[in-house]
Amino acid sequence: MTGQAAAKQTSASNANHVDVLIVGAGISGIGSAYHLQEQSPGKSYVILEMKESFGGTWETHKYPGVRSDSDLYTFGYRFKPWVGAPIASAEEILKYMGEVIDENGIAPHIRYGHRITRAAWDSNANLWTVDAVRASDGAEVSFTANFLWMCQGYYDHEKPYMPDWPGMNRYKGKLVHAQLWDPKIDYAGKKVLVIGSGATAATVIPAFAEKAAHVSMLQRSPTYFFCSENKNELADKLRAAKIDEPTIHRVVRAQIMHDQNVMTQRCIEEPDTVFEELKMLVRAFTGKEDFEFEPHFTPKYRPWQQRLAFCPEGDIFRAAASGKLTVYTDEIETFTETGVRTKGGDEIEADIIVAATGFNLLMMGGIPFFVDGQPVDWHETVNYRGMMFTGVPNMVWVMGYFRASWTLRVDMLGDFVCRLLNHMDAKGVKRVDVALRDEDRNMPLGDWIEGENFNPGYLMRGLKLMPKRGDKPEWRHNQDYWHEKDEIPFIDLDGSEFVYDGVRAGKRVTEAA
């Protein structure tokens, strides 16, 4: 045995063991830990977090004005009332998460500064071994766990998506991706160019406009925006009537989710009418009945085929109407020494160029996974209801919603995982797999999501990293909270798609692919 192999064996034998290992201390990991404590209180657990603090997305992004693009009544957890404005800053969201950690004694379970390097399942031991490097001293440490709960998010927190534009090396000003923004950058009195048109651009542009000499936005194609006051009238009325906050939280969440469902259906059934209503809101907030939507604010796709960006107080449109913002809809021909030149011939000068070009999708945080010594290729697995995978035992993955608040699914899957763990204990089993049933034998398999359903650039670029989907509800993440809320809580845990300790009652396991 080599010294390296012996060291690895020693490390594994001294591994920290827990019943459940949660990966990530962001919005998903903290919520999942709460549910585990409440619903499966006998389970030991640890949370491994790569960063030196909790928060995930809200810790990563430091650009000016960073805020939620979902309302906090539904983005907040169902178990902790939100009492502020519906759209909140990153600072406010981190404060809220910190309260959840403190109020529920979660902090002692979090191991910060642990970068996971490998996760391996052993069917003989029915155990996951997770190797990590500890940032504080560079030590290699290992953890073993009966169950793995992946809450690490879905994009690369360290390497955002930055196109390779012609002439970038010629530019003499400051070029930075929004995800890598340094709060020390001084943009007061500067000419700022933001490249992009999505939720990040909608957030950062109004903040830049407050201090910059001028802001320009260069987009290849426009985005839909929903303008609204940053308040919830129902919540305010209930507070005025002295209703308790837990009741307000529950009622307002229900009303918002109802309204979102109606909006989602209308975007499919009457997209042109919805767009006209969105335009009316823009005119109301800018005070300009003649606000010009062509060509810079007329998208090429229907509403909600990509994310509908929330725009509190219509701030990005007010910046445009006031002359603080100039919008260009074009492609970049080349960077110049002083800015960029578009293919249409516009010369856009800028002291600072901010790329709000999105992120790179990163399946399972880029962690190498192995099952019984064989590497896992996620694209060769089939996804069970957007949370489990054929051929990968004792693991659940938290992937939230795009058209509803991410956290709605964190709560829902928290219930499911705890119910599954408790069910396994009741059955006296150590292992659970999902496997295609006999009736799924000839089921066609496709990419994780259809482009007609949802097609932002980061997802289309990363589809080959994602698992496959089937054409049946059990074998897809349908992105529909309003159906899943009536389905996932009632999943039959003894249904034929579940295999416990290698046995499926009276059924033969069909190969996944």
Side-chain angles (χ1 to χ4, degrees):
M1 180 180 293
T2 66
Q4 185 177 9
K8 189 169 186 64
Q9 186 181 59
T10 302
S11 174
S13 65
N14 294 332
N16 304 284
H17 179 76
V18 288
D19 295 318
V20 179
L21 192 149
I22 297 172
V23 176
I27 197 78
S28 301
I30 298 305
S32 298
Y34 170 87
H35 288 296
L36 185 66
Q37 290 187 172
E38 290 296 306
Q39 301 182 51
S40 300
K43 299 293 184 186
S44 61
Y45 77 95
V46 70
I47 303 173
L48 294 187
E49 169 56 52
M50 179 180 68
K51 299 176 182 295
E52 295 297 340
S53 180
F54 64 88
T57 289
W58 308 107
E59 175 64 22
T60 292
H61 298 284
K62 307 290 188 183
Y63 53 79
V66 59
R67 66 193 181 198
S68 64
D69 62 351
S70 294
D71 73 277
L72 262 293
Y73 286 96
T74 59
F75 188 78
Y77 303 115
R78 73 166 185 241
F79 55 83
K80 180 174 174 61
W82 177 256
V83 297
I87 299 301
S89 68
E91 182 180 2
E92 292 168 316
I93 294 169
L94 288 171
K95 178 176 180 290
Y96 173 86
M97 292 179 64
E99 290 172 355
V100 171
I101 292 170
D102 292 342
E103 292 165 1
N104 297 284
I106 294 172
H109 299 271
I110 306 176
R111 304 290 181 267
Y112 293 115
H114 281 67
R115 183 182 293 271
I116 297 174
T117 57
R118 187 176 188 268
W121 170 262
D122 179 355
S123 292
N124 291 323
N126 284 326
L127 280 180
W128 283 101
T129 297
V130 176
D131 298 327
V133 173
R134 190 167 55 210
S136 61
D137 58 4
E140 295 182 4
V141 294
S142 292
F143 296 80
T144 57
N146 305 104
F147 198 91
L148 198 54
W149 202 335
M150 298 300 295
C151 301
Q152 80 298 328
Y154 63 110
Y155 69 92
D156 192 328
H157 285 252
E158 297 174 315
K159 297 178 182 177
Y161 176 64
M162 176 75 90
D164 184 17
W165 290 298
M168 290 171 68
N169 60 339
R170 296 170 54 195
Y171 178 57
K172 302 298 186 183
K174 185 166 192 63
L175 172 63
V176 60
H177 194 284
Q179 185 175 310
L180 303 178
W181 179 266
D182 182 349
K184 296 178 182 177
I185 298 173
D186 182 11
Y187 57 89
K190 304 289 181 64
K191 289 179 288 186
V192 179
L193 168 60
V194 177
I195 302 174
S197 61
T200 301
T203 298
V204 77
I205 284 170
F208 282 141
E210 292 178 5
K211 298 179 182 179
H214 189 74
V215 182
S216 300
M217 178 172 78
L218 174 58
Q219 58 182 9
R220 287 190 305 174
S221 59
T223 295
Y224 288 104
F225 295 93
F226 178 79
C227 299
S228 175
E229 293 182 293
N230 193 13
K231 66 180 184 180
N232 185 284
E233 290 186 3
L234 177 57
D236 293 343
K237 288 180 179 179
L238 292 173
R239 288 194 180 104
K242 307 299 183 185
I243 304 299
D244 62 278
E245 288 295 342
T247 300
I248 293 172
H249 191 63
R250 186 175 67 254
V251 171
V252 171
R253 278 166 68 91
Q255 182 65 59
I256 291 171
M257 289 185 283
H258 169 76
D259 293 345
Q260 289 177 341
N261 189 28
V262 171
M263 172 64 91
T264 300
Q265 294 306 312
R266 291 187 63 223
C267 286
I268 296 171
E269 296 166 3
E270 46 180 353
D272 294 339
T273 301
V274 169
F275 188 27
E276 290 305 314
E277 293 171 1
L278 296 177
K279 289 179 182 178
M280 288 174 60
L281 292 170
V282 171
R283 295 186 184 109
F285 278 99
T286 59
K288 288 182 173 290
E289 284 298 319
D290 60 348
F291 188 94
E292 186 59 56
F293 289 89
E294 292 286 353
H296 304 307
F297 297 105
T298 303
K300 300 175 183 178
Y301 54 91
R302 65 168 171 79
W304 260 134
Q305 217 171 353
Q306 296 183 22
R307 193 164 182 85
L308 180 61
F310 194 93
C311 186
E313 319 297 337
D315 52 12
I316 191 171
F317 294 99
R318 288 191 286 109
S322 69
K324 293 181 179 178
L325 169 67
T326 300
V327 182
Y328 300 86
T329 302
D330 204 342
E331 295 184 40
I332 293 173
E333 179 181 288
T334 184
F335 273 64
T336 66
E337 290 189 0
T338 58
V340 301
R341 182 167 63 247
T342 70
K343 290 183 177 179
D346 287 307
E347 298 276 352
I348 309 173
E349 291 189 0
D351 303 303
I352 302 171
I353 297 178
V354 181
T357 45
F359 45 78
N360 288 312
L361 190 146
L362 191 62
M363 187 66 184
M364 296 298 173
I367 299 166
F369 271 74
F370 298 84
V371 171
D372 295 331
Q374 298 301 309
V376 175
D377 179 348
W378 299 107
H379 194 57
E380 293 304 315
T381 68
V382 184
N383 204 192
Y384 174 73
R385 294 190 183 273
M387 58 179 171
M388 298 175 74
F389 306 85
T390 54
V392 184
N394 285 28
M395 190 185 81
V396 164
W397 172 58
V398 176
M399 181 69 168
Y401 295 113
F402 297 128
R403 295 192 185 92
S405 289
W406 181 275
T407 324
L408 293 171
R409 207 161 196 263
V410 173
D411 284 331
M412 187 184 299
L413 295 192
D415 294 340
F416 172 81
V417 172
C418 294
R419 190 162 69 94
L420 178 62
L421 292 173
N422 297 343
H423 186 69
M424 292 174 68
D425 287 347
K427 291 173 72 73
V429 298
K430 301 296 184 183
R431 168 178 172 159
V432 60
D433 297 76
V434 289
L436 300 185
R437 305 158 299 187
D438 288 344
E439 59 264 38
D440 302 321
R441 180 183 298 277
N442 297 315
M443 178 178 64
L445 300 177
D447 284 333
W448 186 73
I449 198 167
E450 314 95 318
E452 176 59 25
N453 187 342
F454 194 71
N455 61 13
Y458 68 86
L459 193 53
M460 295 298 101
R461 292 193 303 269
L463 276 178
K464 296 305 178 185
L465 303 174
M466 301 289 279
K468 290 186 169 69
R469 63 170 167 84
D471 64 355
K472 300 177 182 179
E474 296 89 346
W475 302 108
R476 59 185 300 144
H477 184 355
N478 62 17
Q479 282 298 323
D480 189 339
Y481 164 77
W482 297 274
H483 277 91
E484 287 201 329
K485 71 180 178 62
D486 297 324
E487 295 172 354
I488 289 181
F490 303 102
I491 290 173
D492 180 3
L493 295 179
D494 286 316
S496 56
E497 66 267 36
F498 293 102
V499 182
Y500 295 101
D501 285 354
V503 178
R504 179 161 60 187
K507 299 288 184 180
R508 184 178 69 258
V509 177
T510 302
E511 290 297 323

